[in-house]
Amino acid sequence: MPSSTLWSLLLLACLCCLLPGCLAEDVQETAAPQEDQEHPAFHRITPNLADFAFSLYRELAQQSNTTNIFFSPVNIAAALAMLSLGTKGTTHSEILEGLAFNITEMSEAEVHAGFQSLLHSLNRPSNQLELTMGSGMFVNESLKLLEPFSMDVKNLYQSEAFSIDFTDPEKAKKLINKYVEKGTQGKIVDLVKDLDKDTVLALVNYILFKGKWEKPFNPEQTSEGDFHVDEATVVKVPMMHRMGMFRVHYCSELSSWVLLMDYQGNATAIFFLPDQGKMPHLEATLTRSIISKFLRKTDRSSADISFPKLSISGTYDLKSVLSALGITTVFSNGADLSKVTEDIPLKVSKAVHKAVLTVDEKGTEAAGATFMEIVFYSLPRKLKFDHPFLAIIVDEETESPLFVGKVVNPTQQ
């Protein structure tokens, strides 16, 4: 093959988030990275991940303010950081800078150690919460990977390697989709719609999250209600109801109500319900420091919550979104992926990301006693999520933004 021919690397960041659900019984413990357990390495990178999350969100929101948004910044960032191991020069610096890392302040080794620590922490087995991240490399049978790259992606990013025949694109597509479907327990199927004829390497990342509300809703109290998509559009949606003690606050800085709902385990969902007409203000004002402030608020007050039962998804061709963040060269003929292989020049032809969000009343088990709560002294405030709102799901131990989204229309799949 002439060296001037640029072959394709297919980057697939894919995930599934299912809020209430069953618990995994067969999650395996992975080897812990060597680090100071009192100062885990992931603490160095979580502020950068939050900054990346907001940059990515704002770009997606700018592309469309009339559709639902849902993605995993942790999943996308891990895929890109893993890819950066194989890059040099401008290709390399653009990826790390696009991920909000300043290598003059943090070494590249610290960045990868942070991801190694983060992945280990997120993949740690729990009897209350299932959270699994995985990645795989599908390598053409004729391609020889450089050993430093293949060892680093295995040791730092827990990535598996599979030999595959990309000259049969239909068969290769089925194998990749089967891997994704198995990793996401059937929640994402047919992620890959087509393969570039010159594809020789595919990187696949997924994240699976299943959690049960610490305080579930009672299905018997779910009833049909109105959701105001905009001033002219109203849709009918099953609306869940629960009265009790919640971590609920009004934030004048954001012009929004803030509701924190805990899962059994170490994850929290933060919902931001803006005042009428204040969604653009909320999107422009929300920062990681504000998120941290609310995560540290533990006081509760009585509230009567109405929340839509929903299932939404987001599918993105990340090429245009990442280009807006300055990650461009890796998609061009000027890409330098020479640390992946010396056999042939490579570029990333496609970067696909899919996320699925499901919210319902409970998990697989919910004792009747958990539906009731004694509320003292004050009348509960009524908080109805009946117009567009933001959602951020955070792993409390690492303070990592697992998922970020905006619900514009809960009936929109």
Side-chain angles (χ1 to χ4, degrees), residues 69-99:
I69 295 172
F70 193 65
F71 66 96
S72 170
V74 164
N75 185 249
I76 297 172
L80 289 170
M82 182 172 73
L83 178 64
S84 77
L85 288 166
T87 63
K88 291 181 181 178
T90 302
T91 310
H92 182 75
S93 59
E94 282 183 356
I95 292 175
L96 294 178
E97 289 169 11
L99 289 173

Side-chain angles (χ1 to χ4, degrees), residues 126-250:
S126 166
N127 59 4
Q128 294 181 308
L129 187 74
E130 180 185 350
L131 178 59
T132 306
M133 290 185 70
S135 63
M137 286 192 303
F138 291 83
V139 185
N140 196 57
E141 293 171 341
S142 63
L143 189 70
K144 182 180 179 181
L145 298 181
L146 293 174
E147 189 172 350
F149 174 75
S150 60
M151 291 299 294
D152 282 345
V153 296
K154 179 180 179 181
N155 294 333
L156 296 172
Y157 291 88
Q158 305 169 16
S159 183
E160 307 172 78
F162 305 94
S163 181
I164 193 171
D165 181 10
F166 279 108
T167 62
D168 186 344
E170 277 301 310
K171 184 178 180 181
K173 183 178 72 173
K174 287 180 181 177
L175 287 171
I176 294 172
N177 283 337
K178 185 177 180 181
Y179 173 81
V180 174
E181 184 175 351
K182 181 179 179 182
T184 60
Q185 297 184 13
K187 298 304 174 183
I188 291 181
V189 296
D190 297 331
L191 177 77
V192 183
K193 302 299 183 185
D194 57 82
L195 284 173
D196 188 292
K197 62 181 177 61
D198 292 328
T199 300
V200 292
L201 175 64
L203 302 181
V204 181
N205 281 51
Y206 64 84
I207 180 170
L208 178 68
F209 174 75
K210 291 186 179 183
K212 297 190 294 185
W213 295 123
E214 188 177 86
K215 297 177 180 177
F217 294 85
N218 186 345
E220 294 181 1
Q221 294 182 7
T222 299
S223 59
E224 188 176 70
D226 290 339
F227 189 95
H228 301 267
V229 177
D230 52 42
E231 291 183 1
T233 309
V234 178
V235 296
K236 295 291 184 181
V237 63
M239 194 70 76
M240 306 180 296
H241 301 277
R242 187 177 184 279
M243 187 167 67
M245 302 296 289
F246 289 93
R247 293 163 67 188
V248 59
H249 316 274
Y250 183 78

Side-chain angles (χ1 to χ4, degrees), residues 86-88 146 335-346:
T87 63
K88 291 181 181 178
L146 293 174
D336 186 345
L337 288 148
S338 57
K339 290 174 70 176
V340 175
T341 181
E342 293 177 342
D343 292 353
I344 47 177
L346 297 171

